[in-house]
Amino acid sequence: MSTAIRASSILPGRREDIELHTADGLRLVGELALPADRPPVATLVCLHPLPTHGGMMDSHVFRKAAWRLPALADLAVLRFNTRGTSSVRGTSEGAFDGAVGERYDVAAAIEYAEFAELPNIWLVGWSFGTDLALKYGCDPTIAGAILLSPPLRFSAPEDLATWADSGRPLVALVPEFDDYLRPTEARERFAAVPQAEVVGVPGAKHLWVGDAETVLDEIVRRVNPAVEVPLPTTWDGPMEAGDVSAYADRTVAAFADTPVPGPAAGQAS
């Protein structure tokens, strides 16, 4: 009998806690989710939103990706807490460094995926994580990058130029009602990258609340085009339920009065 896939649904997969080790000596906590009984076709390395505003490896879109996509789309999902970030998985060593020291975190995640021989590695950044992808993710081992709600706050024109020169795919999913960068301006800013694809998402907001399924469909459409989208909303096999109450207060709303560190006051990620 088919069961509806809900926010708390955990579909079958092999999930293991992992640790990443950075070149500057920090230990970062994370998780690798794999298909239950077959090799993955492609890999998502997830870079989470701003930790000073509640971003973490368990932010809801990435949690749903790890709980669903190994089963629904044959994807490996690697997610981790950047330096100083906490979640149910634990706290990574170090302290938030305003997209400077985080370069080592991105490198450690890419190195782990490469060492584990994970296939067809894509970066998926969300908000602050998009800046990390743009600044530090244009690596020879990376197939491309998908940017969710990119604010273009910490990244610079030279970072876009690097991606333009690489020719690697760059996809930006931009909410119609984003707080920081909306589709029209995003198309203007990403025009510097000829191969960039900017997808405006009608009705969506920066946090993708209520639109996670649209995001997952768009990710799968690019990373494993052999899978039909939209993805199923029901599941016929075994299913577990996760405790989503542990994440209820870890949202940007919970940190609404917290100043955003970093450049360009008046914008946030």
Side-chain angles (χ1 to χ4, degrees):
M1 184 177 73
S2 294
T3 304
I5 298 172
R6 305 187 184 279
S8 61
S9 298
I10 304 177
L11 305 187
R14 292 176 286 140
R15 297 176 178 86
E16 60 177 305
D17 290 343
I18 62 172
E19 291 185 354
L20 309 180
H21 298 274
T22 69
D24 61 340
L26 299 181
R27 180 184 61 86
L28 311 179
V29 300
E31 181 201 77
L32 177 62
L34 298 164
D37 55 5
R38 54 194 179 276
V41 170
T43 304
L44 308 180
V45 173
C46 301
L47 306 175
H48 62 68
L50 196 66
T52 56
H53 279 54
M56 56 174 172
M57 63 177 276
D58 290 320
S59 292
H60 78 102
V61 172
F62 291 160
R63 186 177 73 245
K64 291 167 184 171
W67 286 359
R68 300 180 194 179
L69 297 187
L72 295 180
D74 293 337
L75 300 184
V77 181
L78 191 162
R79 54 196 177 116
F80 67 100
N81 286 331
T82 57
R83 56 191 55 210
T85 302
S86 297
S87 71
V88 172
R89 168 68 181 91
T91 300
S92 290
E93 293 178 348
F96 175 72
D97 197 29
V100 179
E102 284 83 1
R103 70 181 304 152
Y104 300 114
D105 305 352
V106 176
I110 294 173
E111 181 180 37
Y112 186 99
E114 183 180 17
F115 183 78
E117 298 183 338
L118 297 173
N120 192 22
I121 304 167
W122 284 71
L123 297 179
V124 182
W126 180 3
S127 197
F128 174 67
T130 68
D131 283 314
L132 298 185
L134 290 170
K135 289 176 70 66
Y136 308 126
C138 197
D139 184 274
T141 63
I142 295 301
I146 298 173
L147 312 177
L148 314 179
S149 307
L152 294 178
R153 174 185 169 82
F154 293 88
S155 49
E158 53 265 33
D159 301 315
L160 294 178
T162 297
W163 278 92
D165 292 343
S166 76
R168 291 185 177 86
L170 191 65
V171 181
L173 302 184
V174 183
E176 179 183 6
F177 301 117
D178 194 87
D179 298 295
Y180 312 114
L181 186 71
R182 295 189 176 186
T184 297
E185 183 184 357
R187 292 187 180 97
E188 295 172 357
R189 301 281 297 276
F190 281 102
V193 185
Q195 73 273 23
E197 178 187 4
V198 176
V199 180
V201 181
K205 297 182 179 181
H206 191 75
L207 297 183
W208 301 104
V209 174
D211 290 292
E213 287 71 23
T214 298
V215 172
L216 298 183
D217 287 345
E218 294 297 333
I219 290 171
V220 171
R221 193 191 307 274
R222 275 80 183 176
V223 175
N224 188 3
V227 173
E228 183 178 351
V229 294
L231 295 169
T233 58
T234 60
W235 181 254
D236 291 333
M239 179 191 298
E240 298 179 15
D243 179 10
V244 297
S245 66
Y247 315 109
D249 64 346
R250 296 298 304 273
T251 65
V252 169
F255 295 85
D257 296 326
T258 304
V260 179
Q267 300 177 16
S269 61

